Amino acid sequence: MTKAQKWVGFLILSMTGGVIFQVAYIRYVFLEPTYTALGLTGQEYGNIISVFGAVAIVMYFFGGWFSDRFSPKVLVTVALAGTGCADIYLATAPGYWGILAAHVFMAVMGMGLYWSALVKAIGMLGDASEQGRLFGFLEGTRGVISTVVGLIGTAIVAAAVVPSSGVLTLIRIYGTLSFALAALVWFFVTEDEERLAGLRGGAVTLRQLAAAARNKYTWLIGGTIMLMYCFYTTLAYFSPLLQYGYGMSLALIGVIGVVRSYVFQFVAGPVGGVVVDKVTRSSAVFLRWMFAGCGVIAAAFLALPEAVSLKWFALAMMFVLCALVFASRGVYWSTVGEVGIPENQRGGVIGLASGLAYLPDAFLPAVCAWWIGDPGARPAVPQQGGGYHALFVFLLVMAVLGIVVTTATTRVRARELAATRATAPAGGAPLPA
């Protein structure tokens, strides 16, 4: 594989990440218009999203097996085409059970076939010293593509006479883009066949899955991502808070949703990768910083009254939280390469860790919908101590646990490297504690 082929493949693969999950996570930008367009209540939509998350967790376990058994290029192509079909079907608003079936199918395509294959394909493009930058710029490229299509989507929804009809048009566009990217991957992504052939010999077996389950890093990595993912999952529910709690207009909420969900993705993701590679030299140390910052923001929201006069302060705090979350998303999978997990074992570790990492998708959407209720029925200034109070207490606890888990990761790795140096003086330096 030439250098040009490597970076063309990286660009196309990164672009797929900016499209394939758009419909499954469209609530991050258009929460109320989406469930209205699909003919659902907020709680029904939250329940469907939680089922999607539960199926996704199961699929993550299979994803590691698929990524070690089959070509990542083939898996990504099939997943994109399958997601395109689900998107087009969903745009027909097929009723509760049809919508549920479409989300289950999207979970199979996105998490069973696509995600582990993408992580493995990107990780194979560089050595251990490049992992932070590769995954940081993966997140950044995904963010650029998501921002472009998100702004176009916002314009489409805003131009529609009824916002919900604009959402259905947008879902059709996302489906078409998935088909187009499937073709690009198939025709223009080049795999390192020699390296891939060597890894196929280590395809995941039940014994190796059991070994991955015994690997302490599977649980440390998965636990770290799960705790940070709680912050990411709840970002979608800041829109009702800003609209009904702080008095922001619906049009402004749409733009804020794009900035919150996508702009920070392409800005903060690469920055996080560079900081890890050049400053902390450890994604676990960097993530500990991010958890500390997230905890401060959660505590600040607990203390901030819901008042129109404070809306810009609330928006600024939310943007700081977004920067911390997306800087984390850009690097947390780089830990797999940093701690020295062999490439032919990474499929199992990634699959098992992902099942834990994205567990919040299986319960937080339904819980958040229950916490905040129907946002349109909330009074203009809800009483302090309501659903959002519970949400921010929950996030504060997750931040504290995140600091504990990342500290444990750095100390475990430091002990391993110290032991390595004792038997082989040429071993590397331990991670900073």
Side-chain angles (χ1 to χ4, degrees):
M1 182 191 302
T2 66
K3 188 173 182 179
Q5 289 174 325
K6 168 183 172 177
W7 290 111
V8 166
F10 175 82
L11 178 61
I12 293 174
L13 288 170
S14 298
M15 289 170 62
T16 66
V19 172
I20 191 169
F21 295 120
Q22 287 288 344
V23 174
Y25 294 97
I26 195 171
R27 67 188 186 278
Y28 285 95
V29 180
F30 305 108
L31 177 61
E32 193 171 354
T34 298
Y35 65 70
T36 301
L38 296 175
L40 303 172
T41 66
Q43 187 65 64
E44 286 174 335
Y45 186 52
N47 293 343
I48 287 174
I49 293 301
S50 288
V51 172
F52 165 84
V55 175
I57 290 170
V58 176
M59 288 299 105
Y60 280 126
F61 286 93
F62 288 99
W65 184 89
F66 280 119
S67 70
D68 278 346
R69 186 74 63 175
F70 301 103
S71 158
K73 172 181 173 178
V74 171
L75 291 175
V76 170
T77 301
V78 172
L80 285 163
T83 300
C85 292
D87 292 349
I88 298 300
Y89 173 69
L90 192 64
T92 66
Y96 182 88
W97 294 108
I99 295 166
L100 178 62
H103 278 79
V104 168
F105 187 72
M106 285 191 289
V108 173
M109 293 293 101
M111 289 68 178
L113 301 188
Y114 174 81
W115 181 245
S116 288
L118 177 71
V119 171
K120 185 171 183 179
I122 295 296
M124 288 173 59
L125 294 175
D127 58 28
S129 67
E130 298 177 286
Q131 296 299 303
R133 277 166 288 178
L134 281 172
F135 283 95
F137 281 95
L138 165 66
E139 192 70 9
T141 305
R142 289 173 62 192
V144 171
I145 300 303
S146 297
T147 299
V148 172
V149 297
L151 289 174
I152 294 173
T154 300
I156 290 172
V157 174
V161 176
V162 180
S164 57
S165 65
V167 168
L168 296 180
T169 300
L170 185 58
I171 291 174
R172 296 186 190 97
I173 292 173
Y174 288 146
T176 303
L177 287 174
S178 291
F179 287 127
L181 283 169
L184 287 176
V185 171
W186 183 253
F187 290 109
F188 295 103
V189 171
T190 303
E191 292 181 321
D192 187 335
E193 294 294 341
E194 182 177 346
R195 189 173 181 182
L196 188 60
L199 295 179
R200 280 177 182 148
V204 175
T205 63
L206 290 177
R207 179 179 297 178
Q208 289 170 327
L209 285 174
R214 293 192 299 271
N215 189 323
K216 52 189 170 295
Y217 287 118
T218 300
W219 306 103
L220 289 171
I221 293 170
T224 298
I225 300 173
M226 178 191 70
L227 294 166
M228 184 57 73
Y229 200 72
C230 288
F231 285 89
Y232 175 71
T233 300
T234 56
L235 287 178
Y237 297 92
F238 279 67
S239 292
L241 175 62
L242 294 176
Q243 182 178 354
Y244 297 103
Y246 292 99
M248 293 190 177
S249 68
L250 181 60
L252 182 58
I253 291 296
V255 175
I256 290 172
V258 173
V259 174
R260 177 187 61 211
S261 301
Y262 306 133
V263 173
F264 281 100
Q265 187 177 30
F266 75 75
V267 173
V271 170
V274 172
V275 172
V276 167
D277 285 348
K278 300 296 185 181
V279 180
T280 67
R281 308 287 182 178
S282 162
S283 58
V285 171
F286 177 78
L287 289 168
R288 186 167 60 194
W289 293 359
M290 299 300 100
F291 276 117
C294 288
V296 170
I297 296 298
F301 266 112
L302 276 172
L304 187 70
E306 293 182 10
V308 174
S309 61
L310 296 173
K311 65 180 180 181
W312 300 115
F313 189 68
L315 179 62
M317 289 202 309
M318 187 200 70
F319 280 164
V320 171
L321 180 64
C322 290
L324 297 172
V325 170
F326 281 103
S328 302
R329 278 170 56 85
V331 303
Y332 49 42
W333 282 112
S334 65
T335 309
V336 173
E338 287 179 7
V339 299
I341 297 172
E343 286 185 336
N344 62 356
Q345 297 177 22
R346 290 181 188 179
V349 170
I350 291 169
L352 291 175
S354 295
L356 176 61
Y358 301 113
L359 182 63
D361 266 347
F363 68 90
L364 265 187
V367 172
C368 285
W370 176 68
W371 273 338
I372 69 174
D374 181 357
R378 299 177 76 216
V381 183
Q383 294 297 315
Q384 195 73 17
Y388 280 101
H389 181 85
L391 174 61
F392 291 124
V393 169
F394 170 79
L395 291 179
L396 182 58
V397 172
M398 296 302 101
V400 172
L401 291 175
I403 293 171
V404 172
V405 174
T406 50
T407 298
T409 302
T410 62
R411 293 182 178 178
V412 167
R413 184 59 176 161
R415 285 197 296 267
E416 285 184 346
L417 292 175
T420 299
R421 283 203 313 275
T423 55
L431 293 174

